[in-house]
Amino acid sequence: MVVPESQEKMYYPPVELQRNAHVPDFNSYLVMYKKSLENPEAFWREVADEFFWKKPATGPMLQHNFDMTKGNIFVNCMEGAKTNMCYNVLDRHVKEGKLGEKVAYYWEGNSPDHHMTITYRQLLSHVCRCANVLKQMGVKRGDRVSIYLPMIPELIVTMLACARIGAVHSIVFAGFSSESLCERIMDAQSSVLVTADGVYRGEKLINLKQISDEALEKCREKGSSGVTTCLVIKHQAQRTRTGTSCNKLQTPWESERDVWWDEVMRDSPDECEPEWMDAEDPLFILYTSGSTGKPKGVVHTVAGYLLYTSLTFRYVFDHHPDDVYWCTADIGWITGHSYITYGPLANGATSVLFEGLPVHPHVGRFWEIIEKYKVTKFYTAPTAIRLLMKYGQEPLRKYDLSSLRILGTVGEPINPEAWRWYHEVVGQGRCPVVDTFWQTETGGHVLTPLPAATPLKPGSATFPFFGVEPAILNEHGEELEGVTEGYLVFRKPWPGIMRTIYKNQELFENTYFRKFPGFYVTGDGCRRDKDGYYWITGRIDDMLNVSGHLMSTAEVEAALMLHQSVSEAAVVSRPHKVKGECLYCFVTLKDSKEFNCKLVEDLKRLVREKIGPIATPDFIQNAPALPKTRSGKIMRRILRQIARNEKDLGDLSTLADPKVVEVLFNQRSEAA
Ligand code: WT7
């Protein structure tokens, strides 16, 4: 058993949970972990055995090269095997597992009056009809389909329909701007865009079709005629609270291109033979921020992603057939892909699919939903926990949360205060908190506790999942042993790791493998304590994490630079009570006298329009000059300290002009 560091309170798994758990104690974890590293072939073959393979693998479970000096970087899982993701997560349960009548999703709308239940059989039928619709539109195996939808059942139907016919889905979070959507459609060269008329987010109506039209118009201006069909779901017009919003929402229409979903779905046959895909065929592309500012299309493939999301879901949430699981993420992010759609469905789980916000129409909405559906496993983000903490315990007392068994968090480091509140107030001291560290690129959890096995320390993602071998390196690439801190890297692949960046293998290799040959580099800093626990310390590249959403300083800077008054911009993070980090921007103006409230508002709007509301800066400061090295590199470390008002700046000898710093400190108070 692990010996806790002195003064640190450890949280041990509850005995009731251990009695019936997949991994019932820490020793079992260690034994299985050892097996997964010593004999990955046997370990992953056993996992693969429960799924359906049209053709068995002819190659090994995992092959790879992580060393650029030895040739191209690659990962290959189950070469020669043929299968279909959709078949495995739906048909298999309906046909072989007798789960046809089991609820796949309880959909809960933005308004508490809107909800519906979808069984596995119903989901399969909708998916087949949608698959036939896509085929009818000319979508073939390997073609890309962009999806810009809110959290409605049709989103899951569309992604699975793509998987069924071998099309590659590219989901764009429906909070992104038309500019961001355009960029992602162009990069993926999609031929179809699936969207909805509109959606209420809290009280606010968002006209998704109009944003989609703007995006497609921008694509056209940039010379792409890619999207030939836009499939539009009548969401708001059909499921509105008042029934009148269709008047408010004048859906723009281009009859050559636009098609209403319900019109084509109505007559579409509900049987569709799955396309038998190669194990390494792409399943989807999902864009994540790149440090250069251009989003990277992370590619995940069929077989490995199936094995990994399925296994992590089962073990990390200790899934059992009678569970009701709820992950509050949006499917527009990887968390939703892996732990709302694929992982839970692969396990035949029942999930809640929630369209709304944590505080609409009241601050107890999450707790109300947990009571309503008797949720047993609940997975959310630290930013949501910190937001809800602000309202105290009162909103929770009104609801019965006794169904909860396991709590999870993801997206950013969780501060121990929020962890304890989650554990004590939400989980009533009864539910382990699994702090899952992973990335869009990793496909699934890589550092995580197992709820019945791992003694917890608040703020630590604890230990590696099966098959995952972490290491901590120093700047020179030397591996550090024992108690230490440095770059978090992984020595070997697991089945769910990304395969490439879409159409850019070179960027893939340079981003993740160039710095330390032989390792996958996460971009995160990490500490290991004397009990071997891993603690993520945050990004060590030019990335920011706002409310669990990763963005690059470069993309925000590029947006600010579009303003004609701005000659230079530098963006850093500053701690924020709810969001974790927020954006603090320094702008150098062509004429610094132009700095005023209106300019600040214009700049904030510009960033919102270019990237989306999540990237809205909290502070913009006038910077007559930026602190630079003699070679002209902006010293972000100093800007971060100015943003945080930390006066002790340490060594400034590399600065070209130290006076710049003083000026920036003096002008801090004018930041808005
Ligand atoms: C980055 C990845 C994985 C789904 C959501 C974000 C940070 C994520 C944790 C955690 C500390 C975390 C890291 C990582 N992160 N989970 N449990 N503890 N940091 O996916 O947008 O690809 O962001 O989020 O910095 O690199 P993503």
Side-chain angles (χ1 to χ4, degrees), residues 486-549:
Y487 291 86
L488 177 66
V489 300
F490 295 105
R491 193 191 308 280
K492 275 196 219 155
W494 51 92
I497 192 174
M498 75 186 292
R499 296 302 195 261
T500 190
I501 291 173
Y502 187 62
K503 286 188 315 195
N504 208 336
Q505 172 74 11
E506 197 186 331
L507 182 62
F508 167 64
E509 300 195 352
N510 287 337
T511 308
Y512 305 102
F513 298 95
R514 180 170 291 285
K515 194 171 174 73
F516 303 122
F519 296 96
Y520 165 83
V521 180
T522 59
D524 283 290
C526 184
R527 178 165 75 80
R528 189 169 43 221
D529 72 16
K530 76 172 186 32
D531 303 318
Y533 281 67
Y534 289 88
W535 300 75
I536 303 297
T537 54
R539 301 293 305 191
I540 40 186
D541 47 15
D542 290 334
M543 303 293 265
L544 305 159
N545 191 328
V546 180
S547 301
H549 303 311

Side-chain angles (χ1 to χ4, degrees), residues 103-106 309 312-314 316-329 335-345 349-354 369-370 373-380 404 406-408 410 434 438 445:
V103 173
Y105 293 100
Y106 292 113
T309 54
T312 46
F313 176 78
R314 181 173 318 161
V316 173
F317 299 109
D318 190 41
H319 179 256
H320 290 277
D322 52 354
D323 272 331
V324 178
Y325 161 84
W326 180 21
C327 167
T328 68
T335 309
H337 282 63
S338 300
Y339 299 113
I340 297 180
T341 304
Y342 293 111
L345 291 179
T350 296
S351 301
V352 174
L353 179 68
F354 179 46
I369 294 173
I370 291 173
Y373 297 106
K374 300 195 168 53
V375 171
T376 55
K377 314 283 164 77
F378 180 63
Y379 192 27
T380 194
L404 288 173
I406 292 166
L407 303 173
V410 60
V434 288
W438 58 297
H445 308 138

